[in-house]
Amino acid sequence: VLDVACGPGLVACEVAKVARHVTGIDLTPAMIEQATARQRSLNLPNLSWQVGDAQPLPFPDNTFSRVITRYSFHHFADPAGVFAEMVRVCSGRVTVCDVFTTSAEQAELYDR
């Protein structure tokens, strides 16, 4: 499983409880540090972390059987491009969970 824009590893660590292996990727090194600490605290050996961009994803085609992301798409400058990358590296199901904002003001409050 690949968790794109994994942040502090909340979703990746939960998925790792039932998946064979989970890889989390995030652009922010501090998020990867938090994810690694969470992994250690939960004693989950089947995770790996990578600092990197979601577009392009640094993985070959069809590397993962599942690709997920949560609360990240509203941050991407090119969400369609990121989605295409997620599909490219996935041989199975892609899952995107995000918020929908109806105004720039609402988006700014959510980002804050």
Side-chain angles (χ1 to χ4, degrees), residues 66-84:
R66 300 286 186 267
V67 178
I68 58 177
T69 190
R70 184 183 78 123
Y71 299 153
S72 63
F73 258 54
H74 64 278
H75 293 293
F76 297 136
D78 179 15
V82 173
F83 185 75

Side-chain angles (χ1 to χ4, degrees), residues 9-22:
L10 296 171
V11 173
C13 286
E14 286 304 309
V15 172
K17 293 176 183 178
V18 296
R20 186 172 17 152
H21 187 270
V22 178

